[in-house]
Amino acid sequence: MTDVDLEYARVRAVLDRPTLRLMSRPTSGVVLAVFRTVFDRDVQYVPADRMHLQVEEHVTRLQATGARAPASEQPAPPAPAQAQDPNRASDDTRPNGRALCREWVTAQWLVRSNSPDGDEQYSLTSHALEALSLVDALSSDRALISESRLAMIVDAVHRWAARAEPDPAVQIRRLDAQIAELQAERDRLASGDEPAVVDADRMRDGYTNITDLIRQLPSDFKRVEEAVASMHREIVEDFRNEVRPIGEILDDYLARTDTLMEATPEGRAFEGAFELLRDDALLLRLRDDIATILEHPFAAGLTSTERRTFRNTVSILRQGIEDVLAQRRLLTGTLRDQIVAHDVVRDRELDAVLRSVNRRLATLMDGGGSRDRVPLELLPPVAEVGTLRERFYDPDTEAVPPLIKEPDDDVFEELDVESLRRHGGPLLTELRTVLRSGTAGSSDRAFHGLPPEHRRPVELFGLAHLLTGRPDFETAAATVPHHTVRPDGTAVTFTMPTADLAAPVPPGDDDDTLEAR
């Protein structure tokens, strides 16, 4: 084969991937719009029934605007005549959400699985997430070559070159130069010079490059999860078709379990990332760095969605790791169940029966000729058994059930609204009023200024809810005691962080925003 033939084969293999098949179809605009609407950045799984209804509604709405919508193989069920809307498409052309989701599962854009409660749910595959990430990257206004992007590349190359350097003397010179540079910057700041603050345009450019990398994380984690699921299917299929002795099977599969994440490129990459991300100090530093970036003046131009997405970076990392580990636990559990369910006694009995059959055949072959016939029944004769009594007489079944006693209305005490409120959830209105007044100075003093009936232990949950978003509350290193009073009058003390009510609230994190969350 020539070079062009090899290149053509490589290009065709890439074009046949589900990601490009999703983006190259005439109806890809509608499909991607539905995926982005149904699977928001904070929604990873959607119940099957809700998914079918949302797909029907969204595709019908886009079809009414003239967009080319995908056609389902099965017609949707007809709606009642009095409920039809003249602005909606007719029943013959209305899409079927269930059929469309089934087609998208076949095309490897959706995954249908069972939730922990046993209900069916849908999630996006790595191919669909990669297509959505590409659309988001192309739709954002950003410079392809910028100072922050080049600096990121140069810093990464310099860092990995330092790790790859085998000569200790060269490494020492690199570290000395870095220490000297940092010491000079520290001396400059210690002498009273102003820190070099980056302007809003350069911060915006760096933020864009960081969000581009964050946008690729869900598809990367999903690709690792799919690789583990594929290995899961292969191992189970091999186990079912295995004909080797049980001891050899156990040795083989235990060895494959030990090297599970090293068998695929995705697994090896995840292991390296997992070693880095399970460092709690590193994740805490990442959270603090994100908060510092959002405190820069350029962040005032970010929308609430952009701020929430950027702030949830650590949550995205933790959720991706948890999904991969859950898939790996499923594989380990399946192997354990297969090994436990393997009946050695039954295999030995079957092996003994087959050996006795072989011995009997050998005896018949030694005493008979090539044309002798042996009567052999394919099925055993049917046992002739008379009718057996299945149930004996029980006098209790003929007895009349006891009379139902009338309930005594005086057993239950009469309840009023105040008693229900004392045993209910937190009183957010009273807490919000005393916090907004700001006269107490701090949240713990404001809480202790409430009357005893408003200082129940459950009120601390409401207090933490209203203080979420304040940096001094979320990053507090120490806690203070909060004295509460239970509805029965018992006093109990809890410790939790406090917040300065006189401190300004970060932009976009006021009480109204917190209530909307």
Side-chain angles (χ1 to χ4, degrees), residues 149-194:
R149 184 173 293 269
L150 294 178
M152 187 181 301
I153 296 174
V154 172
D155 292 341
V157 173
H158 180 74
R159 184 172 62 256
W160 287 105
R163 295 183 179 182
E165 178 59 52
D167 190 356
V170 176
Q171 291 190 2
I172 292 175
R173 287 198 300 269
R174 287 176 180 268
L175 293 175
D176 291 340
Q178 186 178 3
I179 292 173
E181 182 180 356
L182 295 176
Q183 185 65 36
E185 180 64 17
R186 183 186 182 282
D187 295 340
R188 187 183 68 83
L189 295 176
S191 63
D193 294 345
E194 293 294 331

Side-chain angles (χ1 to χ4, degrees), residues 47-96:
D49 295 337
R50 186 192 305 172
M51 179 73 179
H52 298 157
L53 293 177
Q54 289 183 339
V55 168
E56 288 184 6
E57 293 298 328
H58 295 329
V59 174
T60 302
R61 181 180 298 275
L62 294 175
Q63 194 175 22
T65 61
R68 184 172 179 179
S72 57
E73 297 178 354
Q74 300 177 358
Q82 62 273 17
Q84 291 183 357
D85 189 349
N87 296 326
R88 297 179 60 178
S90 63
D91 294 335
D92 296 337
T93 59
R94 187 182 180 187
N96 188 338

Side-chain angles (χ1 to χ4, degrees), residues 37-276:
T37 304
V38 176
F39 295 94
D40 195 6
R41 300 187 185 276
D42 299 331
V43 177
Q44 187 175 4
Y45 297 97
V46 177
D49 295 337
R50 186 192 305 172
M51 179 73 179
H52 298 157
L53 293 177
Q54 289 183 339
V55 168
E56 288 184 6
E57 293 298 328
H58 295 329
V59 174
T60 302
R61 181 180 298 275
L62 294 175
Q63 194 175 22
T65 61
R68 184 172 179 179
S72 57
E73 297 178 354
Q74 300 177 358
Q82 62 273 17
Q84 291 183 357
D85 189 349
N87 296 326
R88 297 179 60 178
S90 63
D91 294 335
D92 296 337
T93 59
R94 187 182 180 187
N96 188 338
R98 183 183 299 273
L100 286 176
C101 291
R102 187 183 301 113
E103 294 175 8
W104 296 342
V105 169
T106 305
Q108 301 181 25
W109 303 335
L110 287 178
V111 175
R112 188 166 184 169
S113 59
N114 292 329
S115 64
D117 299 334
D119 300 330
E120 293 184 341
Q121 61 185 5
Y122 287 100
S123 61
L124 294 176
T125 63
S126 61
H127 309 294
L129 291 172
E130 189 176 4
L132 292 175
S133 176
L134 182 58
V135 171
D136 293 341
L138 295 177
S139 61
S140 61
D141 297 332
R142 61 183 180 88
L144 297 179
I145 299 179
S146 60
E147 178 186 358
S148 62
R149 184 173 293 269
L150 294 178
M152 187 181 301
I153 296 174
V154 172
D155 292 341
V157 173
H158 180 74
R159 184 172 62 256
W160 287 105
R163 295 183 179 182
E165 178 59 52
D167 190 356
V170 176
Q171 291 190 2
I172 292 175
R173 287 198 300 269
R174 287 176 180 268
L175 293 175
D176 291 340
Q178 186 178 3
I179 292 173
E181 182 180 356
L182 295 176
Q183 185 65 36
E185 180 64 17
R186 183 186 182 282
D187 295 340
R188 187 183 68 83
L189 295 176
S191 63
D193 294 345
E194 293 294 331
V197 180
V198 182
D199 56 11
D201 293 336
R202 297 175 65 185
M203 282 295 299
R204 179 75 184 190
D205 182 47
Y207 164 81
T208 303
N209 291 327
I210 295 175
T211 53
D212 286 343
L213 299 176
I214 297 174
R215 195 182 294 116
Q216 302 172 10
L217 291 176
S219 61
D220 293 340
F221 281 118
K222 181 62 71 171
R223 191 175 294 109
V224 178
E225 184 179 349
E226 291 174 356
V228 177
S230 177
M231 182 177 294
H232 178 200
R233 291 190 297 268
E234 293 176 0
I235 291 179
V236 171
E237 188 66 23
D238 292 344
F239 196 97
R240 291 173 179 172
N241 298 332
E242 192 60 62
V243 294
R244 292 176 294 172
I246 184 64
E248 187 177 345
I249 297 174
L250 293 178
D251 293 340
D252 185 17
Y253 284 103
L254 289 177
R256 294 185 66 178
T257 303
D258 293 338
T259 60
L260 174 63
M261 298 305 294
E262 299 178 1
T264 60
E266 295 86 356
R268 290 190 293 269
F270 173 77
E271 282 294 329
F274 180 65
E275 291 293 333
L276 183 66

Side-chain angles (χ1 to χ4, degrees), residues 239-443:
F239 196 97
R240 291 173 179 172
N241 298 332
E242 192 60 62
V243 294
R244 292 176 294 172
I246 184 64
E248 187 177 345
I249 297 174
L250 293 178
D251 293 340
D252 185 17
Y253 284 103
L254 289 177
R256 294 185 66 178
T257 303
D258 293 338
T259 60
L260 174 63
M261 298 305 294
E262 299 178 1
T264 60
E266 295 86 356
R268 290 190 293 269
F270 173 77
E271 282 294 329
F274 180 65
E275 291 293 333
L276 183 66
L277 294 178
R278 67 179 176 181
D279 187 356
D280 293 335
L282 178 64
L283 293 180
L284 182 60
R285 187 181 68 183
L286 176 61
R287 189 188 299 273
D288 295 340
D289 292 341
I290 291 175
T292 302
I293 293 175
L294 291 178
E295 292 175 359
H296 194 273
F298 95 97
L302 300 179
T303 63
S304 58
T305 302
E306 292 175 339
R307 294 173 60 87
R308 184 176 67 253
T309 303
F310 191 57
R311 188 182 291 111
N312 291 339
T313 301
V314 178
S315 301
I316 294 175
L317 295 174
R318 291 187 182 275
Q319 184 63 39
I321 293 176
E322 180 59 31
D323 291 341
V324 177
L325 294 181
Q327 189 66 39
R328 189 165 64 175
R329 287 193 296 268
L330 176 62
L331 172 57
T332 305
T334 302
L335 292 176
R336 183 181 62 251
D337 295 340
Q338 292 282 351
I339 294 172
V340 172
H342 192 78
D343 193 347
V344 180
V345 176
R346 186 182 60 182
D347 291 347
R348 291 177 179 175
E349 292 177 352
L350 179 60
D351 187 60
V353 171
L354 293 178
R355 283 198 298 267
S356 65
V357 171
N358 289 332
R359 288 195 299 268
R360 182 58 179 166
L361 289 175
T363 303
L364 293 175
M365 293 300 296
D366 292 340
S370 59
R371 296 184 179 272
D372 293 342
R373 295 184 178 182
V374 178
L376 180 63
E377 296 181 359
L378 298 179
L379 295 177
V382 179
E384 296 181 0
V385 182
T387 303
L388 299 177
R389 183 181 295 276
E390 298 178 358
R391 185 174 56 184
F392 296 95
Y393 174 74
D394 186 3
D396 292 338
T397 59
E398 305 295 335
V400 179
L403 297 177
I404 300 177
K405 297 181 180 181
E406 294 293 335
D408 189 0
D409 297 335
D410 298 334
V411 174
F412 303 100
E413 298 180 358
E414 185 177 357
L415 299 177
D416 55 359
V417 177
E418 290 299 328
S419 62
L420 291 177
R421 291 193 70 189
R422 285 198 305 270
H423 295 83
L427 305 176
L428 295 179
T429 303
E430 288 78 358
L431 291 174
R432 188 181 293 108
T433 301
V434 71
L435 291 179
R436 284 180 174 176
S437 63
T439 57
S442 62
S443 60

